[in-house]
């Protein structure tokens, strides 16, 4: 018995344990199933999933025995589960708008011109916005897939950090105003220029500000701030005093399609992919992103980015 076995099974070699004490709950096929060269099944120990493969050696009546090889497949199982969950999510996310489109077009067709004009226009509006939602989901998925395969053509340029933040501010200030929020930007004029894909970074920050606007009840306060932590690290924060996020949900927010309140996010036009893309994009810039939140108090997203990446290398 090697040390890994001891720790997987929680037994000690010195204790002289029996086969049943180690593998008592390992389900094995009935004898009648014929001769096999090996047997394999799974057991769970201390929250880990182990496969046990048993193979006989030597003659069973003399000197022989059975060798057990144990594999920890916990991580693999987690990946498989994540993949399955992802496919289920994609299907569900696309099916919801599709179902809506179908029911509205069917109604329009059945009524064949008998509906009042305003109703028709309203239904067609819903069909258009559901089709737009599907297009957004597909675009976001393609972006993620390109990031996954490192095929995102990032176009690195040298640009003014302050100008980029100002562009985000200008793009969002009207939107924030419409929701009755006060939105301010706190960034010194003297921020150094930086290298990166300006358009993509801008999009990431716009998304995060747009979350702050969406998930803050009317009349909130939102701040976009930036400062240099040292010569080469830029810190950008977006802070709101909105609805916040329950503690248990925070660690999962960067997962694809993860949303605290699915209905609310959909109603606000969200795809549940914004933060996942933000994370990948920031990491493609060798940076990091964090989110801190307190329920009913507010949320703060912090992005750290190096400003001196080489221009040719993404
Ligand atoms: P969505 O498209 O749904 O906004 P995101 O990936 O951008 O997707 O965000 C994931 C989820 O995180 C959102 O559905 C929302 O529940 C939560 N969230 C993100 N930002 C905030 C925020 N500033 N305040 C409260 N909840 C937020």
């Amino acid at each position: 018995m090697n040390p890994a076995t001891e720790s997987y099974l929680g037994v000690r070699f010195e204790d002289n344990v029996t086969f049943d004490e180690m593998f008592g709950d390992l389900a094995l096929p009935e004898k009648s199933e014929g001769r096999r060269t090996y047997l394999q099944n799974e057991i769970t120990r201390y929250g880990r999933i182990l496969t046990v493969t048993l193979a006989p050696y030597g003659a069973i009546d003399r000197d022989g025995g059975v060798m057990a090889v144990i594999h920890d497949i916990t991580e693999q199982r987690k990946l498989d589960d994540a993949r399955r969950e992802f496919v289920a999510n994609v299907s569900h996310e696309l099916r919801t708008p599709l179902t809506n489109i179908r029911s509205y077009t069917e109604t329009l067709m059945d009524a064949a011109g008998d509906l009042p004009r305003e109703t028709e226009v309203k239904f067609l509006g819903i069909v258009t916005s559901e089709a737009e939602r599907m297009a957004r989901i597909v675009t976001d998925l393609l972006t993620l897939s390109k990031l996954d395969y490192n095929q995102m053509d990032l176009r690195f340029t040298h640009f003014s950090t302050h100008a980029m933040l100002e562009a985000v501010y200008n793009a969002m200030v009207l939107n924030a105003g419409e929701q009755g929020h006060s939105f301010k930007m706190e960034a010194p004029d003297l921020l150094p220029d930086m290298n990166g894909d300006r358009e993509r970074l801008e999009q990431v920050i716009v998304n995060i500000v747009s979350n702050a606007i969406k998930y803050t009840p009317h009349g909130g306060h939102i701040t976009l701030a930036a400062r240099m932590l040292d010569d080469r690290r830029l810190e950008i924060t977006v802070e709101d005093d909105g609805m916040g996020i329950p503690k248990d949900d925070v660690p999962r927010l960067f997962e694809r399609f993860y949303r605290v309140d699915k209905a609310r996010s959909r109603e606000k036009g969200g795809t549940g992919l914004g933060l996942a893309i933000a994370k990948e994009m920031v990491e493609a810039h060798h940076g990091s992103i964090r989110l801190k939140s307190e329920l009913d108090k507010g949320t703060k997203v912090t992005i750290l980015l190096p400003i001196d990446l080489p221009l040719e290398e993404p």
Side-chain angles (χ1 to χ4, degrees):
M1 189 192 295
N2 66 358
T5 305
E6 294 187 315
S7 75
Y8 280 149
L9 300 183
V11 293
R12 288 188 319 169
F13 180 64
E14 306 88 277
D15 291 347
N16 219 355
V17 283
T18 65
F19 181 89
D20 279 345
E21 280 165 345
M22 282 169 75
F23 299 117
D25 56 341
L26 178 66
L28 293 173
E30 296 293 323
K31 266 213 188 87
S32 61
E33 286 182 30
R35 278 179 66 88
R36 290 162 187 260
T37 47
Y38 71 91
L39 298 172
Q40 190 176 58
N41 217 333
E42 283 177 26
I43 51 173
T44 314
R45 289 285 185 283
Y46 305 101
R48 307 202 69 80
I49 305 165
L50 311 170
T51 57
V52 182
T53 310
L54 300 172
Y57 66 87
I60 293 292
D61 46 351
R62 279 179 294 118
D63 304 335
V66 65
M67 178 164 67
V69 178
I70 301 171
H71 280 122
D72 181 356
I73 57 159
T74 318
E75 294 309 315
Q76 190 190 331
R77 187 57 57 82
K78 268 193 205 146
L79 280 175
D80 289 347
D81 287 349
R83 198 171 309 133
R84 262 193 287 274
E85 192 185 322
F86 180 69
V87 172
N89 278 335
V90 174
S91 321
H92 179 76
E93 294 294 333
L94 290 175
R95 203 177 50 203
T96 314
L98 209 52
T99 311
N100 283 337
I101 290 175
R102 267 215 353 230
S103 52
Y104 282 101
T105 46
E106 268 166 23
T107 313
L108 284 166
M109 272 176 31
D110 289 348
D114 288 344
L115 290 174
R117 188 156 162 69
E118 312 85 80
T119 315
E120 270 184 15
V121 171
K122 190 174 147 220
F123 284 7
L124 289 170
I126 296 173
V127 169
T128 310
S129 81
E130 292 294 84
E132 278 166 359
R133 169 207 293 290
M134 291 181 74
R136 261 198 318 272
I137 295 173
V138 173
T139 309
D140 280 0
L141 283 171
L142 283 173
T143 304
L144 275 169
S145 153
K146 280 190 193 149
L147 283 160
D148 281 346
Y149 290 103
N150 265 331
Q151 277 173 354
M152 190 93 216
D153 296 320
L154 296 176
R155 271 198 304 267
F156 273 43
T157 54
H158 185 73
F159 58 86
S160 154
T161 309
H162 195 270
M164 175 198 50
L165 293 168
E166 218 162 44
V168 173
Y169 181 81
N170 290 333
M172 301 310 288
V173 67
L174 271 182
N175 196 332
E178 278 165 14
Q179 306 300 316
H181 300 318
S182 94
F183 179 34
K184 58 180 199 269
M185 170 165 142
E186 286 171 0
D189 292 335
L190 288 174
L191 279 179
D193 292 353
M194 66 181 289
N195 295 342
D197 187 323
R198 172 172 168 164
E199 207 178 308
R200 262 43 183 269
L201 287 177
E202 221 175 281
Q203 189 60 48
V204 164
I205 308 167
V206 161
N207 267 338
I208 289 168
V209 172
S210 129
N211 276 348
I213 294 174
K214 278 194 292 193
Y215 301 110
T216 299
H218 199 85
H221 301 82
I222 296 163
T223 309
L224 166 66
R227 63 185 179 129
M228 292 303 295
L229 288 187
D230 51 38
D231 288 353
R232 54 180 304 261
R233 283 185 308 154
L234 169 73
E235 183 194 74
I236 301 169
T237 55
V238 176
E239 196 166 1
D240 65 60
D241 57 357
M243 54 197 280
I245 299 162
K247 212 160 112 219
D248 291 347
D249 292 306
V250 173
R252 301 198 56 190
L253 283 179
F254 292 97
E255 288 175 22
R256 296 165 192 198
F257 291 119
Y258 195 84
R259 293 186 280 213
V260 178
D261 179 342
K262 283 192 188 294
R264 184 189 303 262
S265 155
R266 274 203 209 99
E267 165 200 320
K268 306 218 176 216
T271 61
L273 295 169
L275 285 177
I277 293 180
K279 179 166 184 284
E280 299 285 336
M281 202 63 89
V282 167
E283 285 173 359
H285 281 81
H286 302 268
S288 63
I289 181 166
R290 271 178 306 149
L291 185 147
K292 265 174 56 180
S293 188
E294 204 175 327
L295 197 57
D296 298 327
K297 290 263 163 58
T299 302
K300 182 176 181 177
V301 178
T302 306
I303 298 175
L304 276 186
L305 285 171
I307 59 165
D308 56 355
L309 290 176
L311 278 181
E312 66 280 11
E313 190 236 359

